[in-house]
C-alpha cells in the first residue's frame, strides 16, 4: 500500500472541491433531483407493502416482523413472497407511528434523505475505488482521486434509474440495503491501515463490517452480496492478487432460447444504465417480447453486451497496468455482484427487468464511466468540450429525475407514463384501468381492461375486474362469461368464484351461485365477504337461519364487517325477533362504535320496542355522523310521531323530504301528520 499508484485525477477534466464542499454539492444536487416527490401519494406496490400490511399497526406484536415476509404474510405460508426484509418493515412501522396514520409525506421524506445520505457516502466510496486505499505517514487515508470521486458521486446521485427507489416508498428496501452495504464496505476498509511500523489489522472493524452487512441483508436480500465485494476488494487492493482465473463458469450453462432471453434482459438492464430515458414501473407481461428465433435482430444487443463485458474483463485481468486492473475489476465487481440475486442464474425471481435492482449495480457503472472519461480526457485535445459534455449529461439526468419523480407522485401519472414505454404490457393497461375504475370512470376503465385481456388472454385479474364492472352495469351475461373463463384458467381464484356467484345470483340461478360461493370458500377459508354474499343469497331464498349463520361467520372472520352486522339486525327485525335484533345490534356497536348505519338499524329496533329515549339518542348520533341521509331523518320523524312529539316529527319529515323528495313512505306519513296537526288546531280553536 505504500507504493503510490498513477493518479486518475491527472487526466480528468473536472473541477476540484475540498471534501466537505464536494459532499455538500452532491447532497444538494441529489436532493434537487427528487425533492418534488416528497408529497406524492402511495402508489403501485405501496398499497400492499404499507397500507394493507398489518405489520405496521400497533396491535401487531413487534416480534411478528421476524416471522413475516415484506408484505405481511407468514413466511411459512404457501402464498408468501418469501422476501425477508424485517428491518425495512420496521422503518415503515416507525413512520406510521410518528405520522399517526398513513400519511405519505413522512415516508417520502425519509426516502429522499436516505438517497442524499447514500450519495454523500459515495464520495468516500469512489475515492477508495478510483484512488485506491492509501495512507499518510500518520495513518490517515488519502483521497488520491478527489475530482474523479466527485464526478462519479454526481453521476450516481442524478441517475434517473434511481427514481423508482426514491420516489416509490417500497424502494426503501433498496435504499436501506445500499446504505448499510456501503457502510459495511467502508468499515471493511477501516480494518486495514498502514503506518511507519507497517500494516495494521483491526478485528473490531471487520466485525463491524460483518454486522453492517447482516443489517443490509435484513433490509433486502441483495445485501448479502457485500461479502463477495469485500472479498474482491480484499484480493485486489489489500493483497494485490492478479485474478487471472476468475473468468470461467458462466457462459455455457444453457444454450436454449431461455438462456438467450435472460441474456437479452441483462442487456436491457445495461441499457437502462447507459440511457435511462425509457423508464417503466413494471416490465412484465409482454413489455419485453420473448426472443423466439436466433434470427431476431435483438440478438445484436445480446452480442454487444457480451462483447463489452468480455472486453472489460480481459482488460481487468490481463492488463499490465495494475492501476487499470484494479479499477476495472472493482467497477465490474460492483456492476455484476449486487445484480446476481436478480439475475435468475441461481434461482428464479419474480421479474426479468426492474429498475430498483440496479440501484447498487449503478455504482459499478459510475466507476466505469468515470474511468472511461479519464481515458478520453487523456487523449482529447479540447478537454473543456469534453467536460461541458459531461456537465450536459449531468444536467439532463437532473431534469429527467425531476420529471420522473413527478410521474411517481400519483398512480394515474405513473401508470399513464408507462403506456408509451411498454404499450404491449398487459399489466400497464390493467393498472390504468383499475385507477380509472377507482375514480368512478367505468367506461374508460372497460377499454383498458379489454386491452389487457387482449394482450394477455390468460390475465385472470383483468377478467375479474372487467367482469365486476360489467356486473355493476347489468351486463350480466358477458360478466358471467369472463368470470367463468377466469376460474377455468385459475381454478383456485377465490375472488373470481365469489364474483361469479354474485352474477349467477343476479341471474336467479341460485343453485349455481351457492356452489360458486362454496367453491370460493373452499379455496380461501377465511373469506368474510364471500360469507356475506352467501348470506344474501340465503336471505333471498328465505333460508333465514342459513343467512344468519353465514353473516355470523363473516363477523367472526372480520369483526368490523358492518354490512354483515347490519343485515343480521335487519333480518331479525323484519322477522319480529326484536330482542335478538337488539342484542346483535348492541354487540355490533361495541365492536364498531362509530358506525352510523349500525346506530340507525339498532335505533329502528329500539323504537319498535318502545324504548323511545334510547332510540332517539341513537338516531341523533347517526344523523350527526351522516346528516344528509334522508332515511335517518324520516325514521326519526316516525319515532317522534309514535312518541307524540309531533312538532319534532314535522321538522324531521320536512328535512327528509328536502333531502329526498321521493323517499318511500315519508310523504304519506308527513301528510298524515299534517292532517292530525290540523285536526288538533281545530279542536284547540273550538
Amino acid at each position: 500500500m505504500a507504493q503510490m499508484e498513477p493518479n486518475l485525477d491527472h487526466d480528468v477534466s473536472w473541477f476540484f472541491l475540498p471534501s466537505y464542499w464536494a459532499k455538500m454539492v452532491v447532497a444538494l444536487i441529489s436532493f434537487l433531483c427528487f425533492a418534488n416527490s416528497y408529497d406524492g401519494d402511495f402508489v403501485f406496490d405501496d398499497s400492499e407493502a404499507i397500507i394493507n400490511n398489518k405489520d405496521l399497526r400497533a396491535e401487531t406484536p413487534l416480534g411478528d416482523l421476524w416471522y413475516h415476509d415484506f408484505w405481511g404474510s407468514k413466511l411459512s405460508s404457501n402464498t408468501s413472497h418469501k422476501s425477508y426484509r424485517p428491518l425495512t418493515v420496521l422503518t415503515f412501522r416507525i413512520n406510521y407511528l410518528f405520522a399517526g396514520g398513513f400519511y405519505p409525506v413522512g415516508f417520502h421524506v425519509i426516502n429522499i434523505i436516505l438517497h442524499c445520505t447514500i450519495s454523500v457516502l459515495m464520495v468516500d466510496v469512489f475515492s477508495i475505488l478510483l484512488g485506491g486505499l492509501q495512507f499518510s505517514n500518520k495513518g490517515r487515508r488519502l483521497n488520491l482521486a478527489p475530482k474523479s470521486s466527485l464526478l462519479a458521486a454526481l453521476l450516481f446521485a442524478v441517475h434517473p434509474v434511481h427514481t423508482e427507489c426514491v420516489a416509490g416508498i417500497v424502494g426503501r428496501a433498496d435504499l436501506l440495503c445500499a446504505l448499510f452495504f456501503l457502510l459495511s464496505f467502508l468499515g471493511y476498509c477501516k480494518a486495514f491501515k498502514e503506518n511507519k511500523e507497517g500494516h495494521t489489522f483491526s478485528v473490531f472493524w471487520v466485525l463491524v463490517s460483518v454486522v453492517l452487512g447482516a443489517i443490509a441483508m435484513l433490509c433486502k436480500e441483495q445485501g448479502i452480496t457485500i461479502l463477495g465485494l469485500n472479498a474482491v476488494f480484499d484480493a485486489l487492493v489489500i493483497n494485490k492478487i492478479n485474478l487471472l482465473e476468475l473468468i470461467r463458469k458462466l457462459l455455457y450453462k444453457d444454450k436454449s432460447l431461455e438462456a438467450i432471453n435472460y441474456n437479452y434482459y441483462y442487456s436491457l438492464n445495461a441499457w437502462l444504465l447507459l440511457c435511462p430515458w425509457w423508464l417503466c414501473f413494471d416490465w412484465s407481461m409482454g413489455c419485453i417480447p420473448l426472443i423466439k428465433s436466433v434470427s431476431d435482430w435483438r440478438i445484436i444487443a445480446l452480442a454487444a453486451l457480451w462483447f463489452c463485458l468480455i472486453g472489460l474483463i480481459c482488460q481487468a485481468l490481463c492488463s499490465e497496468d495494475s492501476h487499470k486492473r484494479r479499477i476495472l475489476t472493482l467497477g465490474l465487481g460492483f456492476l455484476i455482484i449486487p445484480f446476481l440475486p436478480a439475475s435468475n442464474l441461481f434461482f428464479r425471481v419474480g421479474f426479468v427487468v426492474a429498475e430498483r435492482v440496479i440501484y447498487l449495480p449503478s455504482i459499478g457503472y459510475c466507476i466505469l464511466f468515470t474511468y472511461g472519461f479519464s481515458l478520453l480526457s487523456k487523449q482529447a485535445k479540447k478537454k473543456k468540450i469534453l467536460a461541458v459534455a459531461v456537465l450536459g449529461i449531468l444536467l439532463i439526468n437532473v431534469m429527467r429525475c425531476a420529471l420522473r419523480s413527478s410521474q411517481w407522485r400519483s398512480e394515474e401519472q405513473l401508470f399513464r407514463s408507462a403506456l408509451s414505454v411498454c404499450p404491449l404490457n398487459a399489466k400497464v393497461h390493467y393498472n390504468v384501468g383499475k385507477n380509472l375504475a377507482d375514480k368512478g370512470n367505468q367506461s374508460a376503465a372497460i377499454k383498458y381492461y379489454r386491452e389487457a385481456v387482449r394482450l394477455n388472454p390468460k390475465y385472470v385479474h383483468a377478467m375479474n375486474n372487467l367482469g365486476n364492472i360489467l356486473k355493476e352495469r347489468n351486463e350480466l351475461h358477458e360478466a358471467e362469461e369472463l368470470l367463468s373463463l377466469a376460474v377455468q384458467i385459475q381454478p383456485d381464484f377465490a375472488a373470481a368464484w365469489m364474483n361469479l356467484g354474485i352474477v349467477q345470483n343476479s341471474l336467479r340461478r341460485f343453485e349455481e351461485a351457492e356452489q360458486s360461493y362454496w367453491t370460493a370458500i373452499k379455496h380461501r377459508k377465511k373469506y368474510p365477504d364471500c360469507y356475506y354474499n352467501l348470506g344474501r343469497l340465503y336471505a333471498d331464498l328465505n333460508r333465514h337461519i342459513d343467512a344468519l349463520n353465514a353473516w355470523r361467520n363473516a363477523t367472526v372472520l372480520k369483526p368490523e364487517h358492518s354490512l354483515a352486522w347490519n343485515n343480521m339486525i335487519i333480518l331479525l327485525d323484519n322477522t319480529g325477533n326484536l330482542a335478538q335484533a337488539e342484542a346483535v345490534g348492541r354487540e355490533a356497536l361495541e365492536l364498531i362504535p362509530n358506525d352510523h348505519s349500525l346506530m340507525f338499524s339498532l335505533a329502528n329496533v329500539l323504537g319498535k320496542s318502545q324504548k323511545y329515549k334510547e332510540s332517539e339518542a341513537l338516531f341523533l348520533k347517526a344523523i350527526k355522523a351522516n346528516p344528509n341521509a334522508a332515511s335517518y331523518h324520516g325514521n326519526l320523524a316516525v319515532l317522534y310521531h309514535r312518541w307524540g312529539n309531533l312538532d319534532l316529527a314535522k321538522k324531521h319529515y320536512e328535512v327528509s323530504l328536502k333531502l329526498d323528495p321521493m323517499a318511500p313512505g315519508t310523504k304519506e306519513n308527513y301528510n298524515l301528520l299534517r292532517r292530525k296537526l290540523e285536526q288538533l288546531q281545530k279542536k284547540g280553536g273550538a
Side-chain angles (χ1 to χ4, degrees):
M1 281 189 262
Q3 183 182 349
M4 300 294 285
E5 294 183 346
N7 192 331
L8 190 66
D9 272 21
H10 180 73
D11 301 319
V12 173
S13 303
W14 198 245
F15 52 86
F16 169 81
L17 285 176
S19 178
Y20 174 80
W21 285 107
K23 291 176 181 179
M24 289 292 290
V25 168
V26 169
L28 178 62
I29 293 178
S30 61
F31 174 77
L32 291 175
C33 284
F34 302 104
N36 64 343
S37 68
Y38 87 96
D39 60 347
D41 298 330
F42 292 111
V43 298
F44 196 38
D45 287 339
D46 295 344
S47 297
E48 289 302 314
I50 297 170
I51 297 174
N52 298 331
N53 191 340
K54 292 182 179 179
D55 286 346
L56 271 65
R57 294 174 171 83
E59 57 267 24
T60 303
L62 269 176
D64 286 5
L65 270 62
W66 301 98
Y67 302 99
H68 291 177
D69 66 15
F70 185 55
W71 312 95
S73 300
K74 289 183 178 179
L75 283 167
S76 57
S77 169
N78 290 333
T79 60
S80 170
H81 193 270
K82 308 301 182 187
S83 47
Y84 188 59
R85 303 164 192 175
L87 295 185
T88 301
V89 178
L90 180 61
T91 67
F92 290 153
R93 183 166 173 148
I94 293 170
N95 260 131
Y96 173 81
L97 177 67
F98 279 100
F102 292 112
Y103 303 103
V105 171
F107 290 85
H108 282 295
V109 167
I110 294 297
N111 274 27
I112 295 169
I113 291 172
L114 283 170
H115 178 66
C116 293
T117 304
I118 292 163
S119 299
V120 168
L121 281 177
M122 291 311 307
V123 177
D124 288 330
V125 171
F126 284 129
S127 74
I128 295 170
L129 296 175
L130 295 169
L133 187 61
Q134 301 194 34
F135 299 89
S136 68
N137 292 332
K138 295 181 180 180
R140 296 186 62 181
R141 185 177 64 81
L142 298 172
N143 183 356
L144 299 180
K147 293 193 291 183
S148 301
S149 59
L150 173 58
L151 172 58
L154 286 171
L155 284 167
F156 177 88
V158 305
H159 204 298
V161 84
H162 297 157
T163 310
E164 181 175 349
C165 290
V166 184
I169 298 170
V170 167
R172 173 85 58 86
D174 298 270
L175 295 171
L176 286 170
C177 175
L179 175 65
F180 290 104
F181 183 101
L182 296 175
L183 289 173
S184 174
F185 174 76
L186 291 172
Y188 194 74
C189 292
K190 276 183 125 359
F192 302 93
K193 284 191 177 183
E194 188 179 78
N195 53 33
K196 292 178 181 178
E197 288 74 35
H199 302 286
T200 63
F201 173 78
S202 170
V203 174
F204 170 77
W205 280 109
V206 171
L207 291 175
V208 168
S209 175
V210 170
V211 170
L212 290 169
I215 293 173
M217 187 175 64
L218 291 173
C219 294
K220 190 176 181 180
E221 304 81 358
Q222 194 179 20
I224 197 172
T225 59
I226 187 59
L227 300 176
L229 273 169
N230 281 345
V232 171
F233 182 80
D234 188 287
L236 288 174
V237 179
I238 309 301
N239 294 302
K240 300 187 183 297
I241 296 173
N242 190 342
L243 302 175
L244 198 53
E245 293 290 322
L246 199 67
I247 186 169
R248 290 182 75 188
K249 191 166 178 181
L250 273 176
L251 298 178
Y252 300 102
K253 183 179 179 181
D254 187 352
K255 296 183 180 179
S256 66
L257 285 173
E258 181 182 8
I260 289 177
N261 277 296
Y262 278 134
N263 279 273
Y264 177 60
Y265 301 148
Y266 305 154
S267 67
L268 282 176
N269 281 285
W271 182 248
L272 288 176
L273 287 172
L274 290 169
C275 185
W277 201 253
W278 295 277
L279 300 175
C280 183
F281 71 93
D282 185 273
W283 291 86
S284 63
M285 288 200 181
C287 191
I288 308 168
L290 293 174
I291 294 176
K292 298 180 179 179
S293 167
V294 291
S295 61
D296 193 311
W297 67 269
R298 289 174 295 166
I299 292 287
I300 297 170
L302 186 158
L305 170 70
W306 282 107
F307 177 80
C308 293
L309 275 179
I310 291 171
L312 287 169
I313 290 170
C314 288
Q315 287 292 309
L317 296 175
C318 304
S319 174
E320 295 181 0
D321 183 347
S322 63
H323 180 61
K324 182 178 184 179
R325 285 203 311 268
R326 177 177 59 75
I327 291 179
L328 289 179
T329 306
L330 288 173
L332 288 168
F334 270 91
L335 184 70
I336 296 169
I337 294 175
F339 182 72
L340 289 177
S343 67
N344 290 280
L345 279 175
F346 307 109
F347 45 81
R348 288 187 180 272
V349 292
F351 51 84
V352 290
V353 176
E355 291 155 26
R356 61 187 177 275
V357 303
I358 314 177
Y359 193 83
L360 277 171
S362 67
I363 297 173
Y365 159 77
C366 294
I367 294 171
L368 297 175
F369 184 100
T370 304
Y371 184 66
F373 176 62
S374 75
L375 295 180
L376 284 175
S377 298
K378 190 175 183 179
Q379 301 296 326
K381 293 181 179 179
K382 297 182 179 180
K383 297 186 178 184
K384 288 185 179 179
I385 294 176
L386 199 58
V388 169
V390 173
L391 275 173
I393 291 171
L394 290 173
L395 183 60
I396 290 169
N397 279 357
V398 169
M399 292 189 293
R400 180 65 177 132
C401 284
L403 173 63
R404 187 64 180 152
S405 292
S406 69
Q407 292 171 343
W408 272 87
R409 285 164 54 87
S410 71
E411 288 195 332
E412 181 180 5
Q413 294 180 77
L414 178 64
F415 297 154
R416 287 191 177 278
S417 71
L419 287 172
S420 59
V421 179
C422 288
L424 300 179
N425 187 336
K427 195 171 182 179
V428 167
H429 292 274
Y430 167 83
N431 279 291
V432 173
K434 187 175 183 298
N435 182 257
L436 289 166
D438 291 342
K439 293 182 176 181
N441 191 347
Q442 291 189 338
S443 298
I446 286 173
K447 169 189 166 187
Y448 286 100
Y449 280 141
R450 289 194 191 280
E451 180 64 7
V453 174
R454 185 190 72 80
L455 291 169
N456 184 354
K458 294 185 178 181
Y459 198 173
V460 293
H461 293 284
M463 294 175 191
N464 180 58
N465 287 16
L466 178 56
N468 269 340
I469 292 180
L470 294 173
K471 172 192 71 182
E472 291 171 13
R473 294 163 71 96
N474 209 35
E475 298 177 34
L476 298 176
H477 292 288
E478 186 181 358
E480 184 184 22
E481 287 178 15
L482 281 164
L483 293 165
S484 297
L485 181 58
V487 297
Q488 183 182 338
I489 295 169
Q490 186 178 327
D492 63 347
F493 191 3
W497 278 112
M498 182 189 75
N499 291 323
L500 179 59
I502 295 171
V503 170
Q504 290 165 335
N505 192 4
S506 300
L507 290 168
R508 306 190 67 77
R509 300 215 304 272
F510 300 121
E511 288 186 13
E512 293 176 50
E514 182 180 10
Q515 185 61 43
S516 294
Y517 287 141
W518 282 114
T519 305
I521 292 167
K522 171 188 170 186
H523 292 300
R524 190 193 298 178
K525 292 181 171 52
K526 296 181 179 180
Y527 203 173
D529 288 344
C530 195
Y531 277 112
Y532 165 73
N533 284 298
L534 180 62
R536 290 183 60 189
L537 168 67
Y538 289 145
D540 290 342
L541 296 173
N542 293 320
R543 292 166 59 178
H544 295 159
I545 301 298
D546 290 335
L548 289 170
N549 286 336
W551 288 328
R552 175 58 74 177
N553 283 335
T555 60
V556 168
L557 292 169
K558 186 180 178 182
E560 67 276 14
H561 203 303
S562 173
L563 291 173
W565 285 114
N566 245 320
N567 281 15
M568 278 196 283
I569 298 167
I570 293 167
L571 179 58
L572 290 167
D573 181 1
N574 291 342
T575 53
N577 296 300
L578 295 181
Q580 196 175 351
E582 181 182 339
V584 170
R586 293 186 189 280
E587 182 186 357
L589 273 178
E590 281 185 15
L591 293 166
I592 324 171
N594 297 318
D595 191 302
H596 55 80
S597 62
L598 290 175
M599 298 173 196
F600 173 71
S601 297
L602 180 56
N604 286 328
V605 173
L606 293 170
K608 291 179 183 178
S609 301
Q610 298 185 348
K611 298 180 180 179
Y612 297 135
K613 196 70 180 173
E614 193 177 359
S615 176
E616 177 196 28
L618 277 173
F619 272 129
L620 290 173
K621 198 172 178 182
I623 287 169
K624 184 178 180 182
N626 188 16
N628 296 321
S631 59
Y632 289 12
H633 291 278
N635 284 27
L636 177 58
V638 170
L639 176 75
Y640 284 136
H641 200 158
R642 288 178 183 164
W643 201 355
N645 293 337
L646 302 185
D647 290 336
L648 286 173
K650 180 173 180 292
K651 172 188 170 184
H652 284 281
Y653 276 137
E654 288 172 351
V655 173
S656 178
L657 288 170
K658 185 178 179 181
L659 291 168
D660 182 7
M662 307 303 294
T666 303
K667 196 166 187 178
E668 292 79 0
N669 288 335
Y670 179 56
N671 289 333
L672 286 172
L673 177 64
R674 287 182 61 185
R675 285 196 291 271
K676 187 172 184 178
L677 287 171
E678 288 170 2
Q679 290 172 1
L680 289 172
Q681 285 176 350
K682 287 178 183 177
K683 286 181 181 179

